[in-house]
Amino acid sequence: MDNDSFSIIPVNRQLQLKKVMECNDFTNQFGLQITKQEALELIQAKQEALKEQQRVEFGEGILPKLIYAFCDSPFIDQDNYVETLTSLQDIFYLYKNESLDEWSDDELIEYMKHYFDGKCMGSLEYLEETVLQNLSREIRYGIRRDTDDTI
Amino acid sequence: MTRYKMEEVLPLLEERVRRYTHNESTSVTYEKARQLMESLLYCLEEGENGNGMDIMAGEGDVKTAFTLGLARKKEKIKLAEELFEKIRKDFHSYHNHGYEETVMKGMPAFFLRYDIEFDGKNHLLTLDYPLFLEIEELTGIDLIYAYLKAARIEQDFLKHFPTLSVEEILRGFNGKYEEAYFNISEIVLYKALGCIMVKRPAGGLFMTEEDIMMLSKQLQERSKEELESKLQDALLSLDKELHLQSEVSEYFMTGLPKIVSNFLYYKKIKKVFLLFPKRKQKMKLQQKFQDGRVMEDEALRILIEKMQACESLEDRLYMVKENVRSLRDLKEILKECFWGDEFIQVFSLLSQEEVMVLKKEMKGRIAFGKGCIYKYLIKI
């Protein structure tokens, strides 16, 4: 099976759309809502990020987890919500690769959230180019592995 | 190729990915997905083939086929491990490092690290030591099991010859054979076939220089068909003479086209004689004999009795190498402990100088003429 074969694996968009839309019930309390159109665009962007990072995803995908984790961030509001989620998806897949898949989805999201709200003060650039880069370097050199040490 | 459609296989791939990531990751790299997919298909194809499930009749879904295939592969791993244990018990590498590394170091590492669940197609080993018959198209445990089966057959074949003789033939073929990568049984087989063709005992692996030249000249003049027929006859005679196990016999008979092709190649370059390497010792006994100490009568008597009780030629040769330090003792031992063609094997332990001395001492001596020892000595 070559790389192109994985990029054309049919995505269960209906399931993913349903799961993303269901998140609205929870994010309402933080004043965050996603329209159906926005959700479809996010899913499309996710597919492109996956292709870019040469990854293949199964099941409902990572979006609902990102939404639940980041919806209470003081640096996210309705105006930057979809844009931030799009960037977070890109960053997530990039650093799944960069960290050599050493961290689980939950561990990486937890780490991202911790620094996004803390040291990064909501800066996606700082999160991507400094914090996560340092993290992946440390993982590659075998310096740090445990989230407890880092957060 | 599996008979299942990709849309039937993908849900199973998803399940394998979840299992691989312990449900902790929803995505994997293309590289990892490819590995998992290949591993899945590897087991799936095993499940579809053979008995136990009729896919064409629509029996069983993809998961059942995969589960059945995985179970069969695991059974094959078990069989391969058992076979390896049998090989390991009396494995002989003849001091060839590649052979030793591939079988004795490679195989245990394989069984330790092979992952049929998630990387079944990857057999991990490069299997640098070449078999007489190359294994094509197989991967994973299928390849390793086939390799071990062939290695066992080759070991069984080599056991028909004294270790010392095999090593000397190999050394004659390649002075640094310990470091080289070629199939040992193939070299020994050619020499044994040579012995058969000059009507000498194949087990002795001994041909005089005259034999080699005469046979090379004969073979040089043969057509391809004649050569094939002669080699086939020689293989059958070898089988008969050494009482080869049926598996061994079939294995080398299957390799007849390869044997013929090799002979044709050497015929083309007019070097057929290279297929019958002369025996070459590692360390001549010359140094040991130079200032040889004569054994005490009692010690010599005990050694002779011990050797007389020993049937194995290889073991008796070993005793000579280990204990005899003088030509005087050797002459006594020759008279009492060796017979017929065995003399040649003993003489091949000696240096040219020692052979000359012996010839001089034995010539015209009734004691040695009677036992025909001198007759064999002059063949060296």
Side-chain angles (χ1 to χ4, degrees):
Chain A
M1 213 172 179
D2 57 27
N3 289 349
D4 287 342
S5 310
F6 289 116
S7 65
I8 58 167
I9 286 178
V11 179
N12 192 341
R13 280 176 197 272
Q14 286 309 312
L15 172 72
Q16 294 193 355
L17 181 64
K18 184 172 168 274
K19 291 288 175 186
V20 172
M21 294 308 286
E22 277 173 9
C23 295
N24 282 336
D25 296 340
F26 182 74
T27 59
N28 254 337
Q29 59 185 305
F30 306 107
L32 301 173
Q33 280 286 304
I34 288 177
T35 65
K36 191 177 174 186
Q37 182 56 34
E38 286 169 335
L40 284 169
E41 282 170 14
L42 271 171
I43 292 166
Q44 182 57 36
K46 179 169 67 78
Q47 286 311 116
E48 283 161 21
L50 281 164
K51 194 175 175 185
E52 170 83 18
Q53 296 305 325
Q54 306 256 298
R55 294 183 72 85
V56 56
E57 189 179 61
F58 295 94
E60 64 187 56
I62 203 64
L63 251 177
K65 279 190 177 180
L66 281 172
I67 291 171
Y68 285 119
F70 281 82
C71 65
D72 66 346
S73 170
F75 300 101
I76 294 177
D77 57 32
Q78 187 59 44
D79 290 342
N80 66 9
Y81 185 36
V82 175
E83 194 187 335
T84 305
L85 281 176
T86 308
S87 297
L88 284 171
Q89 283 185 140
D90 292 346
I91 294 170
F92 175 82
Y93 291 122
L94 170 65
Y95 281 96
K96 276 293 272 189
N97 277 354
E98 291 294 308
S99 64
L100 309 173
D101 279 280
E102 282 286 303
W103 281 16
S104 69
D105 289 354
D106 291 346
E107 283 172 330
L108 183 56
I109 289 173
E110 191 185 345
Y111 189 90
M112 285 166 67
K113 175 66 173 22
H114 176 81
Y115 278 95
F116 181 76
D117 284 354
K119 208 172 176 179
C120 300
M121 305 270 290
S123 165
L124 289 162
E125 273 183 14
Y126 191 71
L127 178 70
E128 179 181 350
E129 291 168 15
T130 306
V131 173
L132 289 170
Q133 208 166 64
N134 287 344
L135 166 73
S136 56
R137 193 178 301 121
E138 286 167 1
I139 285 176
R140 278 200 296 272
Y141 294 151
I143 298 169
R144 181 160 50 174
R145 172 65 183 84
D146 203 344
T147 43
D148 293 336
D149 296 340
T150 55
I151 296 179
Chain B
M1 282 296 288
T2 176
R3 297 183 191 99
Y4 290 104
K5 290 177 187 158
M6 199 44 78
E7 54 264 33
E8 293 176 273
V9 176
L10 282 175
L12 191 56
L13 176 64
E14 182 179 344
E15 196 185 303
R16 301 307 293 163
V17 168
R18 286 186 191 285
R19 199 176 157 97
Y20 176 77
T21 64
H22 299 285
N23 240 342
E24 288 184 341
S25 186
T26 53
S27 63
V28 287
T29 59
Y30 283 175
E31 193 187 349
K32 188 55 71 183
R34 195 182 311 112
Q35 176 196 311
L36 293 170
M37 180 60 118
E38 282 175 358
S39 193
L40 188 164
L41 294 174
Y42 184 65
C43 293
L44 196 54
E45 282 160 19
E46 178 83 39
E48 288 174 273
N49 297 328
N51 299 323
M53 193 168 163
D54 191 354
I55 303 292
M56 293 305 275
E59 187 188 312
D61 59 8
V62 66
K63 194 169 178 189
T64 313
F66 171 77
T67 310
L68 182 65
L70 182 62
R72 282 182 184 158
K73 295 288 188 198
K74 284 181 177 173
E75 181 60 26
K76 202 173 277 186
I77 296 171
K78 211 173 133 194
L79 290 173
E81 267 187 291
E82 285 167 7
L83 178 59
F84 174 64
E85 280 310 313
K86 283 180 193 161
I87 294 173
R88 190 216 292 262
K89 274 180 191 161
D90 52 0
F91 176 76
H92 210 314
S93 68
Y94 301 92
H95 301 111
N96 179 277
H97 299 161
Y99 203 7
E100 182 78 23
E101 288 278 326
T102 304
V103 179
M104 296 306 276
K105 290 193 182 164
M107 292 301 167
F110 168 81
F111 289 117
L112 198 67
R113 292 178 49 210
Y114 180 59
D115 183 4
I116 185 60
E117 292 271 353
F118 302 115
D119 200 9
K121 268 193 103 169
N122 185 359
H123 39 263
L124 306 165
L125 306 179
T126 50
L127 300 172
D128 293 332
Y129 177 77
L131 293 168
F132 171 61
L133 294 178
E134 199 181 331
I135 300 168
E136 287 168 351
E137 292 177 2
L138 295 182
T139 53
I141 184 61
D142 296 336
L143 172 64
I144 297 298
Y145 190 39
Y147 187 94
L148 283 171
K149 282 202 273 191
R152 172 74 190 267
I153 289 172
E154 292 185 4
Q155 281 280 307
D156 284 347
F157 171 68
L158 289 168
K159 282 190 192 104
H160 287 277
F161 306 95
T163 307
L164 194 71
S165 306
V166 172
E167 286 177 2
E168 288 179 358
I169 293 292
L170 297 176
R171 200 170 294 112
F173 176 72
N174 182 332
K176 292 183 178 172
Y177 84 92
E178 290 95 338
E179 311 296 334
Y181 286 86
F182 58 81
N183 184 265
I184 291 174
S185 65
E186 186 174 3
I187 304 304
V188 174
L189 173 73
Y190 293 157
K191 188 68 189 268
L193 290 177
C195 291
I196 293 281
M197 287 188 275
V198 298
K199 306 208 181 315
R200 284 197 183 275
L205 292 175
F206 176 79
M207 290 166 79
T208 64
E209 202 147 326
E210 198 186 349
D211 290 338
I212 294 172
M213 286 304 129
M214 187 194 71
L215 181 62
S216 303
K217 201 179 160 201
Q218 275 179 15
L219 296 177
Q220 191 67 45
E221 288 158 6
R222 303 265 172 160
S223 67
K224 185 188 170 187
E225 290 70 27
E226 286 171 336
L227 204 56
E228 189 169 346
S229 161
K230 192 164 174 68
L231 288 166
Q232 189 170 14
D233 289 346
L235 265 175
L236 291 170
S237 305
L238 182 69
D239 178 17
K240 213 170 166 185
E241 187 176 318
L242 298 182
H243 305 290
L244 296 176
Q245 301 91 320
S246 59
E247 264 187 330
V248 176
S249 167
E250 281 162 23
Y251 180 75
F252 287 108
M253 201 49 100
T254 311
L256 182 63
K258 182 186 177 175
I259 300 171
V260 174
S261 145
N262 258 341
F263 272 75
L264 284 172
Y265 170 75
Y266 281 96
K267 181 177 170 259
K268 194 177 168 189
I269 60 168
K270 298 192 181 348
K271 287 186 175 172
V272 178
F273 63 90
L274 289 177
L275 291 163
F276 315 114
K278 284 186 236 166
R279 293 169 59 155
K280 193 175 168 190
Q281 291 167 240
K282 187 179 183 184
M283 186 183 68
K284 299 277 184 187
L285 289 180
Q286 185 183 16
Q287 293 161 340
K288 293 182 180 178
F289 272 99
Q290 259 178 353
D291 297 304
R293 184 174 51 83
V294 177
M295 292 172 84
E296 293 289 332
D297 287 349
E298 183 62 12
L300 181 61
R301 189 185 60 76
I302 291 170
L303 179 66
I304 287 173
E305 280 174 9
K306 207 169 152 189
M307 288 176 75
Q308 282 173 335
C310 174
E311 282 187 15
S312 158
L313 174 62
E314 191 188 345
D315 291 345
R316 278 180 281 140
L317 289 171
Y318 181 77
M319 284 188 244
V320 170
K321 283 189 85 169
E322 287 301 301
N323 299 295
V324 182
R325 298 287 179 271
S326 75
L327 284 175
R328 201 181 113 184
D329 291 342
L330 183 70
K331 282 188 284 183
E332 289 302 316
I333 285 169
L334 277 171
K335 281 193 284 184
E336 304 294 334
C337 310
F338 292 93
W339 298 268
D341 276 341
E342 292 177 353
F343 293 127
I344 293 170
Q345 308 267 2
V346 184
F347 297 145
S348 67
L349 297 175
L350 305 176
S351 69
Q352 282 296 102
E353 199 182 348
E354 285 161 343
V355 170
M356 294 294 283
V357 173
L358 267 186
K359 276 182 185 172
K360 208 173 164 185
E361 287 188 10
M362 288 182 178
K363 196 176 178 183
R365 298 274 300 276
I366 294 168
F368 298 109
K370 233 181 186 176
C372 304
I373 302 179
Y374 186 71
K375 185 178 87 183
Y376 290 97
L377 184 60
I378 55 172
K379 286 182 184 174
I380 300 294

